[in-house]
Amino acid sequence: MMKLNFITEELIYHKSPQELTAMIYEKFIQNIDEAVIAIQHSDYFTANEKIKQCNDILYRLGIGLTYQAGIIAEQLDTLYNYMSERLIRANLKKDTFILCEVQQMMKKLSNAWNEVLKATPKVTSSLRKNKLSSYEQHISIILS
């Protein structure tokens, strides 16, 4: 798993939306790890912040869904909403078991996403916009 501490706008600019989604999934998993450690050390403020960041990630992933893609977008939306509800419960109870449950769901999703990325040829556009798309702008906020 890649640590996402040094994300620049330039790095984001050179990634496809699919690659950015993979990076977001990794950031989510990393935040859960940090929240669990914080709870184990009774650092509830940090745990709360990390869990809130995870919910923010889920919200932004939901915004980025393209419903014209079909049923998969609806299923992802349902999964993101479920995970968000579980995170809220975990945060209220400071329950590391629930956090690990949600993290495992995201790991499975991330692994599947990465497999699809490997199997799909990367398409680069010579007409890349000078400005970041709105999806990429949302991602840059999450990853920074």
Side-chain angles (χ1 to χ4, degrees), residues 32-119:
I32 295 287
D33 282 337
E34 292 171 9
V36 168
I37 291 168
I39 290 170
Q40 291 169 343
H41 290 95
S42 299
D43 181 359
Y44 300 122
F45 177 80
T46 299
N48 180 58
E49 290 302 308
K50 294 300 177 179
I51 294 168
K52 284 182 0 185
Q53 287 174 12
C54 286
N55 261 322
D56 187 47
I57 287 171
L58 292 171
Y59 172 75
R60 291 169 191 270
L61 285 166
I63 288 173
L65 290 172
T66 304
Y67 288 93
Q68 294 85 354
I71 193 163
I72 189 72
E74 292 174 23
Q75 291 172 336
L76 283 171
D77 187 45
T78 300
L79 179 61
Y80 295 156
N81 287 331
Y82 174 77
M83 292 167 76
S84 180
E85 290 172 17
R86 295 297 288 162
L87 287 176
I88 292 167
R89 179 172 295 280
N91 201 9
L92 289 171
K93 294 183 173 191
K94 300 303 184 240
D95 189 327
T96 58
F97 180 79
I98 295 173
L99 290 176
C100 291
E101 170 197 325
V102 173
Q103 185 183 48
Q104 285 305 312
M105 284 186 263
M106 185 58 82
K107 282 181 178 179
K108 288 178 183 179
L109 182 56
S110 177
N111 289 338
W113 190 265
N114 287 323
E115 287 300 313
V116 170
L117 277 179
K118 287 178 195 173

Side-chain angles (χ1 to χ4, degrees), residues 17-27 110 113-114 117:
Q18 295 79 14
E19 291 169 321
L20 292 173
T21 299
M23 291 174 67
I24 292 171
Y25 287 163
E26 291 301 319
K27 181 66 174 176
S110 177
W113 190 265
N114 287 323
L117 277 179

Side-chain angles (χ1 to χ4, degrees), residues 119-137:
T120 307
K122 185 175 178 179
V123 178
T124 56
S125 171
S126 60
L127 301 175
R128 183 85 172 158
K129 298 175 186 169
N130 289 332
K131 293 184 178 180
L132 297 175
S133 72
S134 100
Y135 180 72
E136 292 164 328
Q137 288 171 359

